[in-house]
């Protein structure tokens, strides 16, 4: 049983904790919070031991009925591996602790590639993560890009990718972020950081990305154009998406043409937290002409990296050498099958 600690029990951390708890080969030995809030009560309800970054705040937790198991350092000592899901750039400050304790750790996409020297995506480079001490799971957008680019590259060879990301302004629970009424270029200059980030996983790909932030919280939308090396067929691309364990096809029959309808569908399907772990590729948007391939894909920012974290844990702990087998184990434990199986 792999003993997993979740340092930072927020948007990503709480989802990773539940996904770890669902696996037969892993166990949550603790989660950490900086202050008592609703998420801390959820951790208590789930039975996850609660650790805190600053022990001087112990009384504030205990006053509201949240018992504290110890410090973050205590939690890390008890773990085989730590999932660092603290906010971007905070994770880097935790590295000396993990090094001091000689523990394995994985970070999220808010940290730079250099923090681990290795950026991970289950479908692309699982084998290269086996046995590593440190790994970074790439961001939600990069995860979505890597999955589809890798699949198209394997089939046709990719000559060039041009992707435009329309990004959500904040996660649903974040009340202090915007924009409220603007389309913000993210950044004005081209490329956005996403293209270079894809290269941290797929270094041979030629890619340019542009990004903008819009006033929505649900999901990101990508408009992607790929120039392939061989002639591309729409039917084959549909098959590739349908047969991929982390990609989903939004069929015409569903009548979905927005992130809002997609999230409503996920809620109605009873997905935990209405999470969409898969790239959601709109079947009707797939345009294939000679070596020109275009499509839209929606990415649920809070969810797609969660399943990647589980595979990264398994690879780093070295017990499962086969990436496809890990992906299947992770998906099965969550009762997850990509969305085309639901309509
Ligand atoms: P979040 O703010 O929702 O959660 C972070 C949690 O860490 C909070 O509970 C906070 O209290 C806690 N925390 C803060 N400082 C801490 C410390 N020093 N020690 C322990 N805990 C601490 O953040 P998030 O959205 O879950 O993001 C976490 C990481 O995941 C970031 O690197 C982010 O870039 C990445 N990520 C986020 C998303 C997303 O859409 N939210 C998607 C993919 C990747």
């Amino acid at each position: 049983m792999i003993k997993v600690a979740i340092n930072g029990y927020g948007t990503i951390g709480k989802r990773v904790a539940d996904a770890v708890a669902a696996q037969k080969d892993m166990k949550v030995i603790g989660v950490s919070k900086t202050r008592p809030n609703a998420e801390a009560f959820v951790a208590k309800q789930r039975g996850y031991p609660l650790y805190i970054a600053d022990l001087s705040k112990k009384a504030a937790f205990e006053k509201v009925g949240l018992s504290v198991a110890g410090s973050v350092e205590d939690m890390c000592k008890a773990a085989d591996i730590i999932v660092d899901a603290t906010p971007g750039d905070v994770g880097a400050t935790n590295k000396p602790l993990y090094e001091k304790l000689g523990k394995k750790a994985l970070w999220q996409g808010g940290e730079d590639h250099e923090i681990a020297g290795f950026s991970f995506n289950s479908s692309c480079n699982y084998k290269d993560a086996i046995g590593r001490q440190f790994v970074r799971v790439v961001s939600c957008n990069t995860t979505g890009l890597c999955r589809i680019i890798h699949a198209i590259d394997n089939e046709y060879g990719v000559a060039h990718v041009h992707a435009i990301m329309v990004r959500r302004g904040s996660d649903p629970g974040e009340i202090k972020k915007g924009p409220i009424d603007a389309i913000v270029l993210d950044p004005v200059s081209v490329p956005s950081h996403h293209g270079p980030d894809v290269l941290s996983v797929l270094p041979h790909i030629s890619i340019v990305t542009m990004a903008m932030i819009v006033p929505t919280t649900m999901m990101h939308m990508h408009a992607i154009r790929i120039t392939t090396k061989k002639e591309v067929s729409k039917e084959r691309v549909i098959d590739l998406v349908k047969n991929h364990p982390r990609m989903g096809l939004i069929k015409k029959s569903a009548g979905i043409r927005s992130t809002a309808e997609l999230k409503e569908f996920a809620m109605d399907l009873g997905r935990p937290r209405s999470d969409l772990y898969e790239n959601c590729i709109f079947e009707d948007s797939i345009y294939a002409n000679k070596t020109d391939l275009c499509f839209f894909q929606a990415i649920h920012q809070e969810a797609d990296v969660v399943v990647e974290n589980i595979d990264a844990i398994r690879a780093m702990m070295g017990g499962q050498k086969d990436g496809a087998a890990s992906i299947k184990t992770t998906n099965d434990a969550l009762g997850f099958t990509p969305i085309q199986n639901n309509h």
Side-chain angles (χ1 to χ4, degrees):
M1 192 65 98
I2 304 169
K3 290 181 273 177
V4 184
I6 317 290
N7 195 11
Y9 189 74
T11 305
I12 299 300
K14 65 188 177 187
R15 288 173 164 81
V16 172
D18 289 353
V20 166
Q23 310 299 313
K24 289 200 179 97
D25 55 344
M26 301 177 192
K27 181 178 182 223
V28 178
I29 60 97
V31 302
S32 77
K33 289 287 321 161
T34 46
R35 62 190 172 89
N37 67 358
E39 282 163 343
F41 285 100
V42 172
K44 179 184 174 183
Q45 186 244 339
R46 299 277 208 269
Y48 304 145
L50 194 59
Y51 292 81
I52 58 176
D54 178 358
L55 271 182
S56 69
K57 294 195 180 144
K58 190 173 176 194
F61 280 82
E62 295 189 333
K63 196 173 152 199
V64 295
L66 293 164
S67 56
V68 173
S71 67
V72 165
E73 181 159 349
D74 296 334
M75 176 180 77
C76 295
K77 277 185 190 155
D80 297 319
I81 187 163
I82 298 124
V83 175
D84 192 305
T86 56
D89 296 331
V90 175
T93 64
N94 295 325
K95 187 173 178 183
L97 174 65
Y98 309 146
E99 283 176 322
K100 183 181 91 175
L101 300 176
K103 297 290 178 178
K104 290 180 187 277
L106 56 139
W107 287 269
Q108 311 304 312
E111 306 301 325
D112 294 336
H113 168 79
E114 286 66 33
I115 193 165
F118 179 79
S119 290
F120 178 82
N121 176 267
S122 322
S123 307
C124 303
N125 60 5
Y126 180 95
K127 276 200 159 49
D128 299 328
I130 291 172
R132 280 186 184 266
Q133 184 183 3
F134 296 140
V135 160
R136 164 186 176 256
V137 174
V138 291
S139 74
C140 47
N141 281 307
T142 306
T143 295
L145 288 169
C146 286
R147 284 176 183 164
I148 184 67
I149 292 169
H150 183 66
I152 299 298
D153 194 37
N154 276 350
E155 185 72 12
Y156 298 109
V158 165
H160 185 66
V161 181
H162 188 196
I164 299 173
M165 260 68 62
V166 181
R167 304 182 59 188
R168 60 93 177 94
S170 75
D171 292 333
E174 292 172 323
I175 56 172
K176 290 186 182 164
K177 276 193 178 175
I180 289 175
D181 185 10
I183 298 171
V184 181
L185 302 180
D186 181 41
V188 176
S189 57
V190 177
S192 66
H193 75 273
H194 308 92
D197 205 28
V198 166
L199 301 187
S200 71
V201 177
L202 300 170
H204 65 288
I205 295 292
S206 165
I207 179 167
V208 173
T209 52
M210 301 164 79
M212 58 193 110
I213 305 177
V214 297
T216 181
T217 63
M218 306 245 181
M219 301 179 84
H220 304 301
M221 186 69 81
H222 296 177
I224 301 182
R225 184 171 194 185
I226 301 179
T227 307
T228 53
K229 289 184 179 160
K230 287 188 238 155
E231 199 157 312
V232 66
S233 122
K234 176 168 178 165
E235 290 66 37
R236 181 68 190 130
V237 171
I238 288 173
D239 277 347
L240 288 175
V241 173
K242 274 187 181 166
N243 295 325
H244 194 288
R246 297 275 165 83
M247 293 204 279
L249 193 72
I250 310 304
K251 296 183 210 160
K252 187 178 183 170
S253 54
I256 292 174
R257 56 194 181 106
S258 67
T259 51
E261 292 157 299
L262 195 45
K263 285 289 279 172
E264 187 76 7
F265 190 32
M267 272 189 263
D268 291 345
L269 289 172
R271 291 274 187 108
R273 294 190 173 92
S274 76
D275 280 353
L276 289 152
Y277 302 116
E278 65 272 59
N279 292 24
C280 297
I281 297 176
F282 290 79
E283 179 179 30
D284 242 18
S285 73
I286 300 172
Y287 166 91
N289 181 19
K290 296 185 179 151
T291 56
D292 194 11
L293 172 66
C294 304
F295 55 90
F296 288 117
Q297 69 172 7
I299 298 293
H300 183 199
Q301 74 280 358
E302 299 165 298
D304 69 340
V305 298
V306 172
V307 284
E308 303 290 324
N309 271 267
I310 302 302
D311 298 322
I313 293 169
R314 221 173 256 123
M316 292 166 74
M317 294 308 296
Q320 174 55 269
K321 310 279 187 229
D322 179 1
S326 174
I327 289 171
K328 182 169 172 10
T329 304
T330 303
N331 287 5
D332 289 352
L334 292 168
F336 159 62
T337 57
I339 203 156
Q340 64 271 5
N341 301 310
N342 302 120
H343 67 294

